[in-house]
Amino acid sequence: MSRRRATWLAIGGVLVVVLVAALAVFEPWLLVVDRTADDGDDPAAVVGTASGGLADTTVPAAPGEGLTRVVLASARFIDGEHGTTGRATVYRRSDGSRFLRIEDLATSNGPDLHVWLTDKPSGGSCEGCRDSWGIYDDDAYVRLGELKGNRGSQNYEIPASADLSAMRSVVIWCDRFNVAFGTAPLA
């Protein structure tokens, strides 16, 4: 084998390894594949809106059988690194448990997407930040789980230990690239 041919084979081998590694990291096929979530709505009837927002700790009375719920906060998503639409609503049930419902979500699919509540304001605004869409993991946040689908409606239980009084937004967060796909203000 000639020296020239061996050099080209080595270069070709390196390029194949780089291509395979890039495909494994970026998972570009996710940009054209949608996952739809279809969690049913919580069966409890909404009885009203809490006057104290996320910090409100009063528990709605359950008339008759079953649970009731109140809205603690609700807002529409705004775009982050990717176009994102839908509505995020935080509820508290009469048993004191809380959950986040995301309705009519439409965003890009991506690798390693999660749903968080965070103390950062929605919209990526921060003083002195170079990359404002990457600020959401800088301080306090509550992980609610992996995003069930980049389309549709889905529910996420909020841990009883989570202090919601400091939380200011819901974030669709990409752990792999440390960016927000979209955010919804809660305060």
Side-chain angles (χ1 to χ4, degrees):
M1 180 184 318
S2 74
R3 189 176 195 73
R4 185 177 216 185
R5 181 169 181 180
T7 301
W8 281 111
L9 283 174
I11 290 171
V14 168
L15 289 176
V16 166
V17 169
V18 168
L19 177 63
V20 169
L23 288 173
V25 169
F26 291 101
E27 298 180 43
W29 55 88
L30 291 178
L31 292 174
V32 295
V33 175
D34 287 330
R35 286 186 351 216
T36 301
D38 191 18
D39 287 353
D41 193 8
D42 194 57
V46 175
V47 294
T49 302
S51 58
L54 288 174
D56 193 328
T57 57
T58 59
V59 177
E65 294 299 313
L67 297 174
T68 56
R69 65 183 179 186
V70 294
V71 174
L72 297 178
S74 186
R76 294 215 163 272
F77 277 97
I78 61 171
D79 298 344
E81 287 289 323
H82 295 261
T84 302
T85 61
R87 176 169 286 282
T89 305
V90 176
Y91 292 99
R92 188 181 51 257
R93 298 180 186 103
S94 59
D95 66 359
S97 64
R98 302 160 301 180
F99 73 100
L100 170 71
R101 177 152 176 86
I102 298 175
E103 293 181 308
D104 303 321
L105 179 68
T107 190
S108 299
N109 201 352
D112 210 12
L113 295 180
H114 298 268
V115 178
W116 290 5
L117 301 176
T118 178
D119 65 343
K120 297 295 184 195
S122 179
S125 59
C126 69
E127 246 178 82
C129 290
R130 253 188 0 202
D131 177 18
S132 61
W133 288 111
I135 65 171
Y136 296 98
D137 64 345
D138 290 349
D139 293 313
Y141 56 89
V142 177
R143 292 175 182 261
L144 300 182
E146 287 187 21
L147 186 69
K148 297 174 184 177
N150 64 308
R151 302 263 185 249
S153 298
Q154 45 211 287
N155 300 321
Y156 297 89
E157 291 297 321
I158 299 173
S161 61
D163 177 12
L164 297 186
S165 63
M167 299 297 111
R168 296 177 63 191
S169 59
V170 175
V171 178
I172 306 298
W173 182 256
C174 178
D175 257 349
R176 178 151 320 148
F177 296 106
N178 292 319
V179 296
F181 273 39
T183 64
L186 292 177

